[in-house]
Amino acid sequence: MASVIEETPRESDGVLARLVRPVRWYHLVIALVLLVFPFVSTGFWTVQIAAQTFILGTIALSLMLLAGYGGMVSLSQLTIAGLAGYMVAVFGGASGGLGMFWPPIVAIPLAILIATAFATLVGALSVRTEGIYTIMITLAVGMAFYFFVLQNREIFNAFNGFAGLRPPPVLGINWRQPEYFYFLSLTVAAFGYFLVLYLSRAPFGLALQAVRDNPRRMRALGFNIQAHRIAAHALAGFIAALGGVLMVWLNTQISPGSVGLGPLISILIIAILGGILHPIGPFIGALIFVLLDNFAMQLIGGDRFNTVIGLMFLLIVLFSPDGVLGLWKMARERLKASKKPSADW
Amino acid sequence: MTLFVLTVLNGLTLAGLYFLVASGFSLVFGLMRNINLAHGSLYLLGGYIGYSTFRTTGSWELGVAVGALSMAVAGAVLQYCIFRFMEGQALRQTLVTIAISIIAADLMLWYWGATAYQFTTPDWVRGATPIPFLQLAYPTYRLFVLLSAVVVGIALWLFLNKTRIGIMIRAGVDDKDMLDASGVNVQVLFCVTFAVGAALAGLAGVLGGSYLSLAPGEDMRFLLASLIVVIVGGMGSIVGAAVGAVLIGLTEQFGLAYAPSYAPVYTFLILVFVLAFRPQGIMGRPVET
């Protein structure tokens, strides 16, 4: 599972030194590529591939936080994101005069708040049982939400959902422009990534990981383990909600199909594919998923995308439970072992 | 009054179908702690195979038998090839069965297409049965489904409580290692249990497909139903599955009849209440942690 501490910062170091020490050369390369990318690629790659990767990665990141640090696999993360998206449409207004057309400055925070509150409620429910029950309860919640929005006309506009959802112009910028939307998504993704990375060493994150590993001991030490778990659900819900708002702006629409079982499972696939050991995993998984989604049809022909992604998922689960990150780690360890063969003997 | 009686009958019929699917799910979980999220796929696949048999031979009864038996084989294969290797690893089982259900759904869509199929039921269950004291007639076939569920429920209870294999299964639920040590081939027992559970799903697929319809998406609908029924009723308990099925079936139909826009919310509320006051389910035993 997730590594807790690799290098302990020394007390005497300044803030800057502590921030700079873990930075490696490849971090700088990745940062540079991410910053230059939208200026050298086409709109399709900037939005459909890159921005979508950031958005799906952010939603999967919320699952990684719960599953990796908390040991709670929740299948309702996309439902949370979808609820945030729906609320953006309901409060912010959509095409056809649907919704309330409140100013974005009210509508968007309210949408995120409602989704986070719902995530907290789901968390409070699911922590009443453990392990496999969490998966089943969150799956049931997610699917119940799908059937609900499908049948509810008053609030969720039933089968049709909402269309014409666009980011509001802020500072006179049209955020639908590929470059702007790219950087908007990148900012949110980076915020989520660093938040989760920070959590892995913050007291709350450490306690959460300890609760995952040994709840009985943590309870005996006086920690309120239920409260920690619910707080994790709330925080993950907040991250998922951020991703959900961007998701409706990317697709410009939301309908029951966006929160059905397929997309729900996709988020799980993305997180598991990438690996839930480290917050970068969901983004790697999202990149693979988005690339497959866009190009698998040309590679294999026909429309058996689900079979391909299902088989890939099956292989990963059967042979590398830690996802692509796990494969990378295995490869690195094997390489190390072959470099100095005498070490073990 | 008419609406009320019809709703109760619809609810009970649906409950019968839910019970058939969920009892299989519950049985498999109860004995082996195996989470089979491909249970909905077994329902739909059983239905489709039953339908194809029906189309080829023209016999509905044969369709029912083939649908159930083919899924029994599929269940035994699942247990032998997949679950045997990941005993006690709940998360991996979940992920693997999710992967299987995705692939199965896609392949079924490929082979049978997106059209909804419906069986023509044989003459002896067609038509309507008048209900005494009320000026009403209710589809005979639905009463037949309800009756089948009751018969299967009683048969399952007798099987688990009175037969040798049933006693072994219950012993396995309580203490698998002890059963293994007393000379029972647990792997064979697991395959048998899985086969029975899957056959129930296949049977429900044909029975349900004959009055609802067989279409992509039905697999997830019945997986959801099974999940909610067993969470509410209690894992691994046949009586619990029956209680849960009746509760959920009635709730769903009453919701649909009286407040269609919010129907799924009531089901969800039941789930919330049960989890809040009895996390192990109405008839379930406390989870060992």
Side-chain angles (χ1 to χ4, degrees):
Chain A
M1 282 278 149
S3 56
V4 180
I5 290 182
E6 280 135 8
E7 56 231 46
T8 324
R10 265 155 278 166
E11 290 292 324
S12 57
D13 288 346
V15 179
L16 196 67
R18 260 192 268 174
L19 278 176
V20 167
R21 183 170 302 117
V23 174
R24 301 272 177 281
W25 61 269
Y26 53 82
H27 291 134
L28 298 175
V29 173
I30 291 171
L32 198 68
V33 168
L34 287 177
L35 288 177
V36 173
F37 184 75
F39 302 108
V40 294
S41 77
T42 60
F44 169 78
W45 277 86
T46 311
V47 174
Q48 287 306 322
I49 304 292
Q52 187 155 12
T53 299
F54 296 142
I55 294 168
L56 289 176
T58 306
I59 301 173
L61 178 72
S62 75
L63 173 57
M64 177 268 146
L65 166 63
L66 284 177
Y69 296 167
M72 301 173 285
V73 178
S74 160
L75 290 181
S76 57
Q77 291 313 111
L78 183 91
T79 305
I80 311 292
L83 179 63
Y86 261 116
M87 289 300 115
V88 166
V90 168
F91 293 120
S95 64
L98 293 163
M100 309 195 193
F101 291 95
W102 288 0
I105 190 87
V106 181
I108 293 160
L110 190 61
I112 293 171
L113 189 72
I114 290 177
T116 310
F118 183 65
T120 316
L121 175 75
V122 173
L125 264 186
S126 67
V127 299
R128 295 193 56 85
T129 58
E130 283 190 5
I132 200 62
Y133 287 80
T134 311
I135 298 182
M136 292 197 276
I137 289 164
T138 50
L139 180 61
V141 166
M143 282 157 83
F145 182 75
Y146 164 75
F147 284 114
F148 177 53
V149 294
L150 191 63
Q151 282 177 28
N152 185 283
R153 191 167 291 282
E154 285 95 335
I155 305 174
F156 294 99
N157 201 24
F159 183 76
N160 295 318
F162 300 95
L165 305 165
R166 289 189 171 76
V170 177
L171 305 171
I173 293 169
N174 175 13
W175 292 93
R176 282 290 297 167
Q177 294 256 326
E179 291 82 15
Y180 289 117
F181 193 72
Y182 172 92
F183 281 111
L184 182 65
S185 319
L186 177 62
T187 310
V188 170
F191 168 73
Y193 171 77
F194 285 110
L195 180 68
V196 174
L197 194 65
Y198 167 74
L199 261 189
S200 69
R201 298 172 189 200
F204 169 70
L206 289 174
L208 191 63
Q209 293 172 61
V211 167
R212 172 199 68 204
D213 293 338
N214 198 336
R216 286 177 73 179
R217 179 175 293 180
M218 286 302 277
R219 194 182 289 132
L221 284 172
F223 282 86
N224 186 341
I225 60 168
Q226 300 302 52
H228 275 79
R229 286 175 171 162
I230 296 173
H233 272 279
L235 193 66
F238 174 67
I239 296 174
L242 292 179
V245 172
L246 290 178
M247 187 175 71
V248 290
W249 285 341
L250 174 73
N251 300 327
T252 69
Q253 62 90 34
I254 188 159
S255 62
S258 329
V259 293
L261 184 67
L264 218 70
I265 300 291
S266 299
I267 295 299
L268 178 74
I269 294 181
I270 288 170
I272 300 290
L273 207 61
I276 51 171
L277 289 169
H278 189 276
I280 197 66
F283 292 101
I284 296 176
L287 183 62
I288 298 174
F289 185 86
V290 170
L291 287 175
L292 267 181
D293 194 9
N294 281 285
F295 299 109
M297 284 178 199
Q298 294 162 20
L299 284 178
I300 56 159
D303 42 13
R304 297 273 71 83
F305 169 69
N306 276 339
T307 306
V308 174
I309 197 84
L311 278 174
M312 245 186 104
F313 184 49
L314 190 64
L315 290 177
I316 284 280
V317 173
L318 287 177
F319 299 110
S320 171
D322 295 331
V324 176
L325 278 183
L327 287 179
W328 169 245
K329 212 173 166 188
M330 262 195 281
R332 213 167 54 173
E333 265 157 26
R334 199 157 292 175
L335 204 69
K336 258 185 199 163
S338 66
K339 265 183 190 165
K340 31 180 177 175
S342 57
D344 292 340
W345 301 96
Chain B
M1 186 60 190
T2 313
L3 180 64
F4 180 79
V5 174
L6 276 180
T7 312
V8 169
L9 282 172
N10 280 342
L12 288 178
T13 332
L14 191 64
L17 200 55
Y18 282 174
F19 170 75
L20 288 177
V21 191
S23 58
F25 184 82
S26 189
L27 190 67
V28 168
F29 181 83
L31 174 63
M32 300 172 275
R33 303 278 133 186
N34 278 354
I35 317 294
N36 179 20
L37 291 188
H39 199 68
S41 312
L42 293 174
Y43 169 89
L44 189 58
L45 185 59
Y48 274 141
I49 290 180
Y51 179 78
S52 290
T53 315
F54 165 71
R55 282 301 297 265
T56 327
T57 63
S59 159
W60 181 78
E61 292 83 352
L62 198 63
V64 174
V66 172
L69 287 179
S70 59
M71 284 310 99
V73 174
V77 168
L78 266 182
Q79 167 63 27
Y80 191 77
C81 298
I82 308 261
F83 281 102
R84 194 158 59 104
F85 300 104
M86 35 188 79
E87 236 168 68
Q89 302 174 43
L91 181 58
R92 275 186 90 193
Q93 291 175 357
T94 319
L95 299 178
V96 166
T97 48
I98 285 178
I100 291 174
S101 70
I102 294 170
I103 299 170
D106 203 43
L107 294 180
M108 283 191 280
L109 180 66
W110 190 20
Y111 189 77
W112 278 284
T115 3
Y117 296 109
Q118 217 177 0
F119 292 85
T120 333
T121 44
D123 289 335
W124 55 275
V125 285
R126 212 177 293 158
T129 306
I131 295 174
F133 311 119
L134 289 166
Q135 310 303 322
L136 272 182
Y138 195 71
T140 312
Y141 180 72
R142 295 195 179 198
L143 295 173
F144 169 75
V145 170
L146 180 58
L147 187 72
S148 313
V150 173
V151 170
V152 167
I154 293 172
L156 206 56
W157 188 86
L158 288 174
F159 169 69
L160 285 176
N161 286 283
K162 302 291 173 193
T163 66
R164 198 178 153 74
I165 298 180
I167 289 167
M168 284 191 226
I169 290 178
R170 284 190 302 132
V173 173
D174 286 337
D175 195 332
K176 196 168 60 193
D177 297 332
M178 201 62 213
L179 183 71
D180 201 7
S182 30
V184 173
N185 188 337
V186 177
Q187 284 309 329
V188 173
L189 187 67
F190 279 8
C191 279
V192 170
T193 316
F194 214 121
V196 172
L200 285 172
L203 175 70
V206 185
L207 290 183
S210 305
Y211 87 94
L212 303 166
S213 62
L214 291 171
E218 287 296 292
D219 48 349
M220 79 181 245
R221 186 184 151 193
F222 278 88
L223 173 64
L224 173 67
S226 314
L227 284 176
I228 296 188
V229 164
V230 295
I231 293 172
V232 167
M235 279 284 173
S237 153
I238 298 299
V239 183
V243 172
V246 170
L247 205 56
I248 299 300
L250 284 176
T251 310
E252 232 172 70
Q253 289 300 321
F254 269 97
L256 275 179
Y258 291 97
S261 211
Y262 291 91
V265 176
Y266 302 121
T267 317
F268 179 67
L269 282 180
I270 290 190
L271 189 72
V272 171
F273 271 108
V274 169
L275 285 173
F277 296 108
R278 223 181 134 75
Q280 71 269 39
I282 295 173
M283 306 298 277
R285 282 182 285 183
V287 194
E288 291 153 36
T289 45

